[in-house]
Amino acid sequence: MPGEPIGDALRRASRRIERVDARLLLQHVAQCSHADLIAHAERELTVEQTSRFDELVSRREAGEPLAYLLGSAFFHELEFAVTPAVLIPRPDTEVLVEQAVRVAGAWPQPRIVDMGTGSGIIATVVARLCPGALVSAVDVSPEALAVARANAAKHGASVRFLTGDWYAPLGVERFELIVSNPPYVAEGDPHLDRDGLPFEPRIALTDGLAGGSGMACIERLINGAAAHLVPGGWLLIEHGYDQSVKVRERLVGTGFADVASWRDGAGIERVSGGYLP
Ligand code: GLN
C-alpha cells in the first residue's frame, strides 16, 4: 500500500506479528524514533519503504529473529551489529563477562583471549571494562570476525583478532585469562528447531557430532588450556543448563583449582571455571 501512513502500517503489521517487533521494524525501515512514530503517525511511507517493511514483517512472521532483521542486538547496554554469520547475543552470557572482569582484576595488565568470539561481544565488553587488559579474540569464521572487528571498532575497544581453529592461531602464547562461549548444544536437541535457532549458524551452536553430548568443544578448550595459561591463569567457560557438573568434573580432572560455577540471571549454573596452579 504505497503512501500508507506509518500509523496504519503499524496497525496492519501488529495483526501479524508482536506489536513491539512491528514497531521496531517500522522504525528501522522509516528511519525514525518511537517518538516520531507517535507524533507523526500520518507521515506516509514511500513505495520502497512499504515493500521493505512488508518483506521484513513476513520474514518475522516466518520465525526469523528480530536481531537479524534489524541487523543489531543489545548486550550490556551496547548495540552490536549481528548478521546470520554470528550467534545473537543472549543475556545468559552476561555472567561470563562479570566473572571475567572479576578474575582479570587480579592483574594490572592481564592478557585475555576470547575463544570463538562470534560477534565479539565478550571481547569488546571485557576490553571496555578492563582498561589495562590486552584482549585477543579467536574465531574460525572469517565472516564472524568481520562482524566482531566492526563491533570492537564501533565501541572503541582495542582487540586483536585472529582467525583459526580454537588454540591453533595462538602458537605458544600464554594468557592470564581464557574465556569462551563455545558451541555446546547437543546435535539433536529439540531446542535447535525452536526460538529462531534454525536461523542461527549451526557452527556456533553445536559441535556437529551426531549423538554427542554437546561437550566436545568445551573439552577441547579445557584440554588445551594448560599450554596457553600462565601459572595461576584462569579458564572461564559458558555451558548448557545441564552441563555444570560435567564441566566442573573435567576442570578438576585436568588439574584446575578453585573450580566453581556461577548462575545466570535465570538462576541456572551457566559458567564454570577455575585456575591452573
Ligand atoms: N545459550 C544458547 C541457546 O541455548 C546457546 C549458545 C551456545 O551454544 N553457545 O540458545
Side-chain angles (χ1 to χ4, degrees):
M1 266 173 269
E4 185 180 26
I6 51 177
D8 292 356
L10 179 58
R11 263 190 300 281
R12 201 161 53 79
S14 301
R15 290 197 283 271
R16 298 171 61 192
I17 60 173
E18 292 281 341
R19 187 177 170 88
V20 60
D21 292 1
R23 175 170 68 71
L24 291 168
L25 290 173
L26 188 55
Q27 285 173 224
H28 179 65
V29 166
Q31 288 294 303
C32 69
S33 68
H34 190 184
D36 290 337
L37 246 170
I38 295 166
H40 305 290
E42 74 295 340
R43 203 186 102 193
E44 292 180 359
L45 292 174
T46 65
V47 178
E48 291 73 29
Q49 287 172 332
T50 302
S51 69
R52 178 94 186 106
F53 182 54
D54 285 346
E55 184 215 322
L56 292 175
V57 170
S58 296
R59 286 166 62 185
R60 184 72 195 107
E61 205 173 24
E64 199 163 333
L66 189 69
Y68 290 150
L69 300 175
L70 296 173
S72 68
F74 282 85
F75 181 76
H76 256 262
E77 293 172 3
L78 296 177
E79 191 171 9
F80 289 92
V82 294
T83 73
V86 300
L87 204 69
I88 297 165
R90 287 153 164 74
D92 312 7
T93 304
E94 282 173 13
V95 62
L96 179 60
V97 168
E98 279 158 31
Q99 293 306 318
V101 171
R102 181 185 64 81
V103 163
W107 293 272
Q109 208 177 46
R111 289 160 294 179
I112 304 173
V113 63
D114 174 17
M115 303 298 293
T117 194
S119 62
I121 56 166
I122 298 167
T124 297
V125 175
V126 167
R128 283 172 55 105
L129 295 176
C130 306
L134 298 166
V135 180
S136 304
V138 174
D139 207 285
V140 74
S141 157
E143 293 80 18
L145 280 178
V147 176
R149 271 202 184 87
N151 279 326
K154 173 178 177 186
H155 295 300
S158 168
V159 178
R160 177 186 61 148
F161 290 99
L162 302 162
T163 317
D165 187 33
W166 296 118
Y167 294 113
L170 295 175
V172 296
E173 275 189 73
R174 290 183 186 265
F175 299 83
E176 275 71 31
L177 171 60
I178 299 170
V179 290
S180 184
N181 173 17
Y184 54 69
V185 181
E187 246 345 306
D189 186 324
H191 179 49
L192 291 167
D193 302 325
R194 294 200 293 263
D195 302 332
L197 269 71
F199 293 90
E200 296 190 273
R202 201 43 90 93
I203 190 181
L205 287 165
T206 80
D207 51 33
L209 299 175
S213 60
M215 288 280 295
C217 295
I218 290 176
E219 283 172 6
R220 279 186 73 176
L221 284 165
I222 294 175
N223 294 339
H228 295 285
L229 285 174
V230 299
W234 276 77
L235 172 64
L236 290 169
I237 302 181
E238 179 177 327
H239 50 68
Y241 70 97
D242 57 354
Q243 290 169 333
S244 63
V245 172
K246 276 184 283 184
V247 176
R248 286 197 302 269
E249 272 171 18
R250 295 286 198 288
L251 287 166
V252 170
T254 311
F256 281 86
D258 277 7
V259 170
S261 298
W262 295 272
R263 294 177 195 276
D264 64 17
I268 294 163
E269 287 187 332
R270 180 61 69 184
V271 169
S272 297
Y275 74 92
L276 271 187

